[in-house]
Amino acid sequence: MQFLFLRALKPYVTLLFTGMLLFTTGCEDDDHDHDHEEGHTDADGFILEDAAGNEVYREFEGAMTGSVTLAVGETLELSVHFLDHEGNEIAHEEEEEGEDHEDGLEVSGFDVTIAVVEVEGHEEGEDHDDHGMALHVEGVSAGSTSFQLRLMHDGHADYTSTNNVPVT
């Protein structure tokens, strides 16, 4: 008799536990470490363009085309444009006056004896391209190196290049 009672109760207990599981996971607090809606860039790639607007390098969903090539002593200014999941350029939102974020580009991994890659600094009142994100690449000696690009936001990377950008 007791066995039949437990057997009849099993579907109701299963339904109860399933409902509790769905309720607890559905009502989790999404503010676990940061707000995904404010100031974050959901990029799937980027383009590097020279001063004339020519595409020098592209990385999109891990696939890359092009490379940075320059002469010893030459300095290239490359603008950086991030791409959304469809390959379209993401419009850069300007920060409001007084906002204090650690946003910007970071580069690493290059051999300074071959090329120096620096993020262009922003100065008060200076007119930048529409995205305000640029790199300076200076040829130091013959050879090849590469660098990794990261888009930083409040101390963490919103985007990190999948491949190192080749520099010759």
Side-chain angles (χ1 to χ4, degrees), residues 93-113:
E93 295 177 20
E94 293 297 324
E95 288 185 10
E96 298 204 12
E97 206 65 39
E99 279 190 39
D100 188 27
H101 293 291
E102 297 173 24
D103 294 348
L105 297 174
E106 279 188 7
V107 292
S108 63
F110 55 91
D111 182 348
V112 296
T113 63

